[in-house]
Amino acid sequence: MNHKACAELLVSVLQTSRHARQKEEIRYKPATWLTVCLFAILSAIFFFAGNVAAQGSVTGNFHRIEMYADKPYPQYEYLAYRMLRHEVTNPQGQTSDITSRYSTAAIIPGPTIIMDEGDVAEITLYNSIPNPDKIDLHENVSLHVHGVHYDIVSDGTLKYINLFQDEGATLVQSYTYRWNAAVGTAGTWPYHDHNMSTHNGAEDKGLFGALIVNPVAKTVAVNQNGSIQSVPLSSIKKDYVLYMMDDTFAGTVIDTQTGKQTPVWSNPALTAQAGSNVRFHLIALGTNFHQFRLPGYSWPDPITQTLIEEKAIGPLEKHVVAIQASTSTVYLDSTFAGIAQNMTGSFNVAP
Amino acid sequence: MKPHISGSQIKTILTCLTLFTMLWLSNLALAATHNIHLAAQTLPNGQHAYRMLSHTSSEGSTPTYPNEATIPGPTVFVKQGDVLNVTLTNNTQLKVGLTPGSIEVSPGDTRSFAYAADQVGVFPYYDKDSHMVGLFGALVVDNPNGAIDSFIDEIGNIVPTKRADLDKEIVMFMIGSTFWGAEMVNGNQIPLWTNPTLGAVKDDLVRFHILSLGPGHTWHLHAHRWPDRNSKEMIDVKMLKDGVDSHTFTIKAGSGVGTGYWQYHCHLFSHMEAGMAGKFHVVAAGESGASIAGASPSGHIFLNPFTDDPGLVTFEITDEPGRWFRSIRSDILSPITKTRSLEVIPPGGSVHFIMSETNAVHTITTLLWPSGANDPDHGDHRVIPFSQTKAYKGGAILKLDVPGLYVFTCRIHPYMFGAVIVDDPATEGLDLGESIDIVTGINGLPTSSDLATRLLRTFFVATVQENWQDYTSTKPWHPNYPSVAVRISGGAVVNLKDVLEARYGQDVKLASLFKPTTPGVGEVWINTQFEKTAGKTKPGTITVLDAATWTIKRKIALPQINMNHPHNMWSNREQSVVFQTQWFDDKLTFINREDGSLINNIQIGNTPSHVITIPTNDDITVAINGENGIRIIPAGTMTPQPMIMTQLPGQTAAGPHGHWVTADGKLVVTPNVITSDIGLYDTDSGEIVARTGSGGVFPAEPHPLAVGVGIDKVYTTNLLDHSMNVTGLDGTLIKTINLIADYDPVSPTGPDTVKDRDGDGLVTVGVLPIQTPVDPTGRVVVTANTGGSITIIDTQLDRVVAMLPCDPGCHGVNFGAKQGGGYYAYVTSKFSNQLIVVDVDLNNPANSSIAGRISMVADKSVPTDDKVVSLAGMGGQGIYAIPNIYNGWVQHLPDAWKAGLTAAQQNPVP
Ligand SMILES: [Cu+2]
Ligand SMILES: [Cu+2]
């Protein structure tokens, strides 16, 4: 890259700022002119990012998030997301760092990102997945999110799909996504890679997590003593994020009082206090269909507004089971494949 | 008792009656009568489709339908309460029906039925037999008041909507792993065919009707969300369950997200890998929101060059032996191609696979492709090599641009073959391409090479039933090859038949059958997996051979359960119950050994391959080849317990095939086909002891298929790597034996193609090795090589010490007792109908020889539960000799069975 190229790049950054700001170049070999160029580009990006945040499209909090995509175990094929930083700026401009809520490790499922309807998040993804056999600068890892609003540059897909650009982090370039949890997007949603290795991504290797968008109303429908009650969101004591992979549940437990997230991995034993309200955030991922059951419990079906005792869930569907804990039981996938693979774990309720 | 009705009650009743009558009349006034005349037709690629001949409505206007038969068929829009008088004319060559209505129409006939649209919703209409290959369409029954599903706008309002507000309606059928689409704009119905690019202008109101028939899916559209069935629950993924299902929703295009190419796809990972995706293109106001159709059965393909529309050829995946990939127009092509499994398209054409006639799970995987098709500078590198990580139900679709030969297989059933020639019409001869790349990592193999033409010959033998070796015929073996000009390396144009006959001979005299002079002990059960009988649609029998007389004792077809591809057997300790896997199904079958009768048929898991017991407790272990574990059935029961998983949670499903258990019962050893490793698992704890990467000759996809367990070593065949791994019982790799060290694959066929290249003084070749058991004493490994040879490994040397001839598709090996001491190795071949009996020399393994050749064809006197109608004795695969004389098992035989064995046979490893 020469000075002219730098200038052209800078111009294009400014002209198509909304698009080009998504890319931040990192880890280039030191060269004075390059540093200058980078500085100029990064300044432009920063300027624009600040602009967006201040544009008034944000009615709620602004989330600044940085995550890694890692290969946590050299001997295994697993890939996983790791939280690096999460700062929240409220509409009054006060910023708090909530990074300590997350595990410092790369985990499966990945960090659960919690937003309120009306919030906006900017998430920068770094790719630290080693690529030993071919230093392929195009090898790409991404975040594709479901449910919320984002424009085409935040789709997290390859140019092969979006006909615009490769929207992911490479070994030498991070990528920033902007998610708008606009009013109307409340719910539990998956996010996952769409770019690693192939245009389908490596979601099947562990690159997935959950986004929970809390409703403006801040209430939840729960089965309490056999009837559907609308309770304050704050009455939920624990959130269990349970991904249903083809052969296992993979979970994270969130203590809603502290916000602390604890990875609990495969078919975890879950605990609750009797009488407390808890939620299972279920998302399937892979190829198999599942039938979720929690014998002894029923919960509100959001479609029919009736109590149900089991729920069929297909890949990337989501379903939230909100109950008041009373007796110990197990959760399970009751399909033929679920039973053959022993997809089950205990739900232990302490009196 | 007399009824007593008071005056006021009468008044109430009358009022009610009047009200009902008024309601009924008002309904009548709203309801319309539709006269709909559909035709079923066959499209140029052989798929079938419905076409609208006429549609009149008492209400007046009806849509403008396509002037051709389309997939999906015409979308019929009516209102609740309407009556449909439906007429179907069958212009195809097969019986065609219409559900709902349940009519059956013979070719050339016309039949009618009336249908009352009494329920609001979207419903598929379809033919119950041919719906997977095109005979389906959508019936949309709307609310008479015009209200449809609400959409959510960019600020979160759920907006009630009427059909009249819509800018466009889209119908998408999810079939196999392909989308079939159509759209309706201003009363015009436009076919969009496969995986189209759907178009819409930003803020257009678009209603989607998603339907599925057959295996289920999850529909996902990027960046859009909608109320699930008009509720307050927002979703962007919707499951369409197995069988018949549908889902309707309305969106405002680009709402809150803007313009762009937004992907839609099925979110089942195997279906994503199978190509089940397309684009939803939202454009800015003022631009054209027209959709772009995808590849079509009526488009440009071989023999249908009359259009510039991109064409599509279709392979049905079937359980029919040889024709596992069957071109749906093979009746037309096969006189030229001599096989039902070869298709020809121009560059830019598409290939479509549909698992419409199989009970198994499969992958659709490129075995080889023209060099350059996966060049990173080329768009096709995103699809070539093509495969799925995990076997599943569905199909596949992909577009091919680079001319040359592509061969597809299934990773689970690696003798299923389908080939596509992408032929540049501008060149002379069908383009096989300059060179091919093979999935194992061989790149740039000239199409003139011996390996290339040997693979082609294997393809024409494996896929053509008539090309199999019939040992009961007196005629020489005469495989038919297509007499077509093909363009190969260096641009040479040659006749394919001439080349194959010159290289590999023609009218070869088959060896004569003869019985071994020394009898065997007991019975030999052979899976004649392709033999077809009258009482069932699926192939396969068990041939029971009396080893004392070498005559067939019984044929077992089990028509009552439509036994499908019986692949491998074992028995309980008492030798009274035989366990049988159905490899193209999900069943394990329990059979009474004495009389061949059915005891039970249980669901065990997708595509069970091999079965073996744990010698120490007689528990049954079944390798679930299409999935990820070893299913356990406790001894004496028929209830499967959870699996020993072949991998850690969340890891790629290993796909274990021909497993074995150590004599001490402590370890189950699996060749993991999909993950290319040898797994050792603790039978007590289910824990992984070791997983050792397999392979050795070529860099990728060795495809370990079977293991043999000796006293302290494991022998694993690598099918596509033509090699054998020798590992310790702790998983340590001791050695890799290259079975093709004496073979030159790259040069054109010649006198030096096979010669002693490794300098061991022997010429031995084991191409595509499969079953490989170690004899009960641990001295000899006998390996069946698909390429048509039996190789013998001396375990004291761990090298090949002898080679014996075998038939095409040489596959199964197992040991049985020889009367008076010693063992026979019984060897089967898929594409012949003889059993080869190898006399194994345990003192000098190099001296092992063929002791006999037994026909697997039964004469009329043989007791059977069904009548053999074709492929008599063909498809030899699993073998199980009774009594079971393997070390660890033989010690547990009932005394009556032990009586027939020598002292050494009763204790093979003293
Ligand atoms: Cu699907
Ligand atoms: Cu298969």
Side-chain angles (χ1 to χ4, degrees):
Chain A
M1 194 187 288
N2 56 26
H3 288 82
K4 188 161 167 281
C6 170
E8 278 170 4
L9 185 55
L10 184 54
V11 169
S12 73
V13 164
L14 290 168
Q15 279 176 345
T16 60
S17 46
R18 224 177 119 67
H19 290 165
R21 78 179 153 76
Q22 303 286 334
K23 288 203 171 184
E24 297 164 35
E25 315 224 345
I26 56 172
R27 274 201 247 168
Y28 273 116
K29 288 193 189 89
T32 314
W33 55 267
L34 196 52
T35 313
V36 172
C37 172
L38 266 180
F39 182 75
I41 293 165
L42 286 170
S43 307
I45 290 162
F46 188 75
F47 172 78
F48 188 79
N51 244 4
V52 170
Q55 261 170 5
S57 61
V58 183
T59 55
N61 300 316
F62 179 76
H63 300 251
R64 184 79 194 106
I65 297 170
E66 289 179 82
M67 294 211 307
Y68 269 102
D70 282 355
K71 186 170 190 296
Y73 313 103
Q75 72 274 34
Y76 298 130
E77 76 240 42
Y78 300 118
L79 304 174
Y81 293 113
R82 170 164 59 92
M83 181 59 75
L84 182 65
R85 184 164 71 101
H86 185 171
E87 288 174 2
V88 187
T89 305
N90 69 14
Q92 291 72 44
Q94 294 157 323
T95 297
S96 51
D97 188 327
I98 60 167
T99 309
S100 63
R101 292 179 179 182
Y102 297 93
S103 168
T104 56
I107 55 173
I108 300 173
T112 302
I113 296 167
I114 300 171
M115 298 169 74
D116 292 333
E117 268 185 307
D119 287 4
V120 164
E122 283 196 7
I123 308 184
T124 299
L125 180 67
Y126 302 95
N127 181 351
S128 62
I129 296 167
N131 194 354
D133 17 279
K134 41 167 191 166
I135 301 304
D136 182 352
L137 300 187
H138 300 290
E139 192 62 280
N140 216 278
V141 66
S142 77
L143 286 170
H144 167 75
V145 70
H146 286 223
V148 295
H149 295 184
Y150 54 82
D151 63 22
I152 192 69
V153 292
S154 289
D155 192 34
T157 47
L158 292 172
K159 185 177 181 180
Y160 178 77
I161 287 170
N162 60 47
L163 304 185
F164 181 70
Q165 66 182 13
D166 288 349
E167 298 170 359
T170 67
L171 285 173
V172 295
Q173 195 170 57
S174 67
Y175 198 92
T176 299
Y177 306 88
R178 183 183 168 86
W179 299 348
N180 179 2
V183 174
T185 64
T188 300
W189 304 101
Y191 68 82
H192 58 84
D193 171 49
H194 213 304
N195 291 8
M196 192 82 204
S197 301
T198 76
H199 57 88
N200 297 310
E203 62 178 41
D204 63 324
K205 301 281 185 287
L207 286 173
F208 54 80
L211 164 67
I212 298 174
V213 179
N214 291 319
V216 173
K218 294 275 164 84
T219 59
V220 184
V222 175
N223 175 8
Q224 282 189 330
N225 305 318
S227 69
I228 300 175
Q229 304 288 334
S230 182
V231 301
L233 190 61
S234 57
S235 81
I236 301 291
K237 291 290 179 272
K238 278 186 177 181
D239 280 315
Y240 315 112
V241 173
L242 282 185
Y243 259 85
M244 302 173 84
M245 301 180 74
D246 279 354
D247 59 345
T248 186
F249 287 90
T252 288
V253 174
I254 304 168
D255 178 331
T256 56
Q257 310 307 298
T258 62
K260 184 83 186 158
Q261 300 191 8
T262 309
V264 288
W265 305 104
S266 174
N267 294 337
L270 302 173
T271 58
Q273 206 67 40
S276 69
N277 292 331
V278 298
R279 291 189 297 184
F280 294 74
H281 301 263
L282 304 166
I283 300 174
L285 183 139
T287 295
N288 289 359
F289 290 166
H290 306 277
Q291 191 78 16
F292 180 83
R293 291 187 58 215
L294 188 66
Y297 288 89
S298 61
W299 58 90
D301 174 29
I303 320 289
T304 60
Q305 299 295 326
T306 58
L307 290 173
I308 55 174
E309 291 178 341
E310 56 185 326
K311 175 72 178 174
I313 304 175
L316 277 298
E317 282 195 310
K318 38 86 177 194
H319 182 69
V320 177
V321 171
I323 55 163
Q324 187 176 45
S326 54
T327 54
S328 294
T329 182
V330 294
Y331 62 90
L332 74 156
D333 171 14
S334 68
T335 61
F336 184 84
I339 289 166
Q341 300 177 105
N342 221 0
M343 274 185 74
T344 183
S346 58
F347 178 54
N348 300 317
V349 178
Chain B
M1 196 161 63
K2 266 184 130 184
H4 177 83
I5 299 169
S6 73
S8 71
Q9 277 173 321
I10 289 175
K11 214 169 157 187
T12 313
I13 290 167
L14 278 177
T15 313
C16 284
L17 271 178
T18 314
L19 266 171
F20 276 131
T21 311
M22 280 169 68
L23 277 170
W24 182 65
L25 282 173
S26 71
N27 240 351
L28 263 194
L30 282 171
T33 301
H34 298 261
N35 292 308
I36 292 164
H37 191 173
L38 292 165
Q41 287 174 210
T42 301
L43 301 176
N45 83 343
Q47 287 191 254
H48 313 294
Y50 292 115
R51 173 185 173 179
M52 185 65 81
L53 295 178
S54 67
H55 176 189
T56 59
S57 164
S58 61
E59 247 182 6
S61 75
T62 53
T64 307
Y65 293 99
N67 211 5
E68 58 181 327
T70 59
I71 307 175
T75 306
V76 177
F77 288 94
V78 301
K79 291 197 186 72
Q80 186 183 26
D82 286 4
V83 172
L84 287 68
N85 296 314
V86 182
T87 302
L88 175 65
T89 296
N90 181 359
N91 293 329
T92 74
Q93 300 298 313
L94 47 113
K95 199 162 214 173
V96 159
L98 198 60
T99 304
S102 304
I103 53 164
E104 284 268 321
V105 189
S106 297
D109 278 3
T110 294
R111 287 191 59 186
S112 301
F113 67 97
Y115 178 78
D118 47 14
Q119 217 185 327
V120 171
V122 55
F123 310 94
Y125 64 86
Y126 57 97
D127 173 66
K128 67 178 168 50
D129 297 322
S130 299
H131 58 268
M132 297 300 276
V133 294
L135 284 175
F136 54 80
L139 167 66
V140 180
V141 182
D142 275 319
N143 197 312
N145 66 16
I148 60 168
D149 291 281
S150 306
F151 69 92
I152 185 162
D153 71 7
E154 53 272 35
I155 53 168
N157 296 319
I158 296 175
V159 185
T161 312
K162 286 187 178 285
R163 187 167 178 235
D165 303 333
L166 294 172
D167 295 288
K168 165 177 289 203
E169 292 191 67
I170 289 167
V171 167
M172 293 287 263
F173 271 84
M174 300 173 83
I175 306 287
S177 48
T178 299
F179 291 97
W180 293 89
E183 68 177 357
M184 296 84 220
V185 187
N186 298 326
N188 285 313
Q189 295 207 0
I190 304 154
L192 296 176
W193 304 108
T194 54
N195 297 357
T197 298
L198 305 172
V201 178
K202 168 103 172 48
D203 295 334
D204 272 0
L205 282 190
V206 184
R207 186 190 191 196
F208 283 83
H209 305 280
I210 314 295
L211 301 96
S212 78
L213 297 163
H217 305 275
T218 50
W219 158 268
H220 174 48
L221 173 61
H222 282 203
H224 292 76
R225 65 213 64 73
W226 58 90
D228 188 355
R229 281 162 288 165
N230 230 7
S231 72
K232 290 199 172 93
E233 171 81 349
M234 293 308 130
I235 59 169
D236 68 354
V237 174
K238 183 66 185 180
M239 175 169 68
L240 292 115
K241 62 181 189 300
D242 289 346
V244 177
D245 205 355
S246 69
H247 180 65
T248 295
F249 62 95
T250 311
I251 56 153
K252 189 172 168 186
S255 175
V257 299
T259 59
Y261 284 94
W262 302 110
Q263 196 184 34
Y264 65 83
H265 60 96
C266 174
H267 226 309
L268 273 60
F269 200 71
S270 289
H271 285 178
M272 291 161 66
E273 293 180 303
M276 194 165 189
K279 295 174 173 68
F280 178 47
H281 188 198
V282 179
V283 301
E287 295 178 41
S288 165
S291 298
I292 302 166
S296 139
S298 303
H300 186 176
I301 54 174
F302 181 63
L303 302 182
N304 187 41
F306 316 110
T307 165
D308 290 333
D309 293 340
L312 175 88
V313 292
T314 291
F315 287 98
E316 286 191 89
I317 307 303
T318 82
D319 293 342
E320 174 68 13
R323 303 168 183 174
W324 292 287
F325 286 79
R326 183 179 67 203
S327 162
I328 192 164
R329 57 173 181 152
S330 61
D331 286 347
I332 297 166
L333 287 182
S334 57
I336 309 165
T337 59
K338 304 295 178 199
T339 168
R340 293 179 179 269
S341 301
L342 175 64
E343 266 289 358
V344 185
I345 56 171
S350 293
V351 193
H352 165 233
F353 305 88
I354 177 84
M355 298 181 198
S356 53
E357 285 192 25
T358 178
N359 293 348
V361 295
H362 306 277
T363 70
I364 307 293
T365 301
T366 40
L367 177 66
L368 57 89
W369 55 88
S371 302
N374 58 339
D375 189 326
D377 296 331
H378 206 284
D380 287 0
H381 82 282
R382 289 288 176 199
V383 293
I384 303 292
F386 188 85
S387 193
Q388 299 83 49
T389 310
K390 182 173 138 170
Y392 199 61
K393 302 165 278 188
I397 184 165
L398 68 162
K399 180 166 156 279
L400 300 173
D401 290 318
V402 176
L405 175 69
Y406 299 75
V407 176
F408 294 85
T409 187
C410 164
R411 296 169 83 190
I412 302 298
H413 309 98
Y415 53 66
M416 296 171 60
F417 298 119
V420 178
I421 295 172
V422 176
D423 181 50
D424 180 352
T427 61
E428 191 194 337
L430 292 173
D431 291 303
L432 296 188
E434 193 63 28
S435 64
I436 52 175
D437 293 355
I438 303 180
V439 72
T440 52
I442 302 180
N443 293 327
L445 182 75
T447 46
S448 60
S449 66
D450 180 75
L451 181 55
T453 54
R454 198 172 286 271
L455 286 168
L456 268 175
R457 176 179 179 253
T458 302
F459 171 79
F460 285 106
V461 172
T463 63
V464 183
Q465 296 172 352
E466 296 74 16
N467 284 351
W468 297 350
Q469 294 182 343
D470 179 4
Y471 277 82
T472 63
S473 167
T474 51
K475 290 188 209 129
W477 182 46
H478 185 98
N480 272 309
Y481 308 118
S483 180
V484 294
V486 292
R487 188 181 169 87
I488 57 169
S489 308
V493 178
V494 296
N495 180 287
L496 183 59
K497 177 171 183 275
D498 292 350
V499 169
L500 294 180
E501 290 185 347
R503 289 187 171 193
Y504 308 111
Q506 185 55 287
D507 293 320
V508 177
K509 187 169 174 350
L510 298 179
S512 304
L513 300 171
F514 65 102
K515 292 178 179 180
T517 46
T518 307
V521 176
E523 299 172 347
V524 187
W525 287 50
I526 298 118
N527 280 147
T528 28
Q529 193 181 310
F530 302 159
E531 187 165 59
K532 297 196 72 177
T533 59
K536 55 181 192 170
T537 58
K538 298 299 185 185
T541 61
I542 303 164
T543 302
V544 182
L545 188 70
D546 183 338
T549 60
W550 305 112
T551 54
I552 296 175
K553 200 171 179 176
R554 190 184 305 284
K555 285 268 180 189
I556 304 165
L558 300 180
Q560 66 272 47
I561 57 162
N562 207 1
M563 182 168 67
N564 188 2
H565 283 271
H567 185 68
N568 183 262
M569 298 159 289
W570 205 262
S571 79
N572 62 350
R573 280 178 179 172
E574 284 68 37
Q575 316 288 288
S576 59
V577 179
V578 174
F579 318 124
Q580 172 70 64
T581 59
Q582 296 185 45
W583 197 28
F584 281 66
D585 222 300
D586 61 358
K587 305 289 194 300
L588 183 76
T589 308
F590 296 73
I591 299 164
N592 182 329
R593 189 200 57 79
E594 285 264 331
D595 61 4
S597 63
L598 175 70
I599 297 169
N600 203 352
N601 190 40
I602 62 164
Q603 186 182 8
I604 190 79
N606 282 313
T607 312
S609 50
H610 283 228
V611 53
I612 188 169
T613 56
I614 297 174
T616 42
N617 61 14
D618 217 24
D619 286 358
I620 306 166
T621 73
V622 183
I624 308 300
N625 197 188
E627 300 184 45
N628 53 1
I630 305 292
R631 201 91 202 245
I632 306 293
I633 303 171
T637 77
M638 292 186 280
T639 309
Q641 300 303 305
M643 294 193 285
I644 291 176
M645 301 300 284
T646 41
Q647 58 291 305
L648 294 174
Q651 285 188 326
T652 301
H657 184 92
H659 67 308
W660 204 273
V661 177
T662 52
D664 62 7
K666 288 206 165 77
L667 293 174
V668 54
V669 187
T670 66
N672 293 328
V673 173
I674 301 294
T675 47
S676 287
D677 63 285
I678 303 149
L680 293 104
Y681 307 91
D682 185 308
T683 51
D684 279 336
S685 66
E687 297 287 314
I688 298 170
V689 175
R691 291 181 70 187
T692 306
S694 62
V697 178
F698 304 114
E701 289 270 345
H703 225 95
L705 210 52
V707 298
V709 174
I711 293 167
D712 54 3
K713 287 183 282 193
V714 175
Y715 294 82
T716 308
T717 49
N718 295 307
L719 178 84
L720 298 183
D721 199 58
H722 318 290
S723 67
M724 175 88 74
N725 284 136
V726 186
T727 42
L729 291 182
D730 58 355
T732 316
L733 183 64
I734 298 167
K735 188 177 184 180
T736 298
I737 304 170
N738 179 2
L739 296 174
I740 57 165
D742 290 346
Y743 171 54
D744 168 17
V746 180
S747 307
T749 315
D752 287 345
T753 297
V754 176
K755 66 173 185 186
D756 182 15
R757 284 191 164 74
D758 59 6
D760 64 356
L762 297 169
V763 177
T764 63
V765 179
V767 172
L768 302 168
I770 307 186
Q771 287 189 20
T772 190
V774 186
D775 84 89
T777 70
R779 179 68 199 273
V780 175
V781 183
V782 177
T783 309
N785 301 287
T786 306
S789 69
I790 299 163
T791 43
I792 313 276
I793 289 171
D794 182 339
T795 61
Q796 291 180 355
L797 310 169
D798 278 342
R799 61 180 182 82
V800 177
V801 294
M803 177 173 81
L804 300 169
C806 198
D807 295 335
C810 189
H811 185 114
V813 188
N814 226 339
F815 289 92
K818 191 173 151 185
Q819 220 174 73
Y823 301 97
Y824 283 130
Y826 300 107
V827 182
T828 55
S829 296
K830 293 183 286 280
F831 309 124
S832 87
N833 53 10
Q834 69 156 337
L835 174 80
I836 295 176
V837 184
V838 176
D839 191 357
V840 179
D841 189 332
L842 296 180
N843 297 315
N844 182 3
N847 271 350
S848 301
S849 59
I850 291 179
R853 300 171 173 278
I854 315 288
S855 167
M856 291 288 96
V857 180
D859 64 35
K860 288 201 173 65
S861 67
V862 172
T864 177
D865 56 356
D866 205 357
K867 184 175 175 293
V868 174
V869 288
S870 65
L871 305 179
M874 295 286 182
Q877 278 161 77
I879 301 156
Y880 183 66
I882 296 170
N884 180 342
I885 40 61
Y886 282 100
N887 184 41
W889 285 267
V890 69
Q891 292 86 348
H892 292 286
L893 283 175
D895 291 343
W897 283 107
K898 276 187 181 164
L901 302 175
T902 64
Q905 284 171 332
Q906 289 182 43
N907 190 18
V909 184

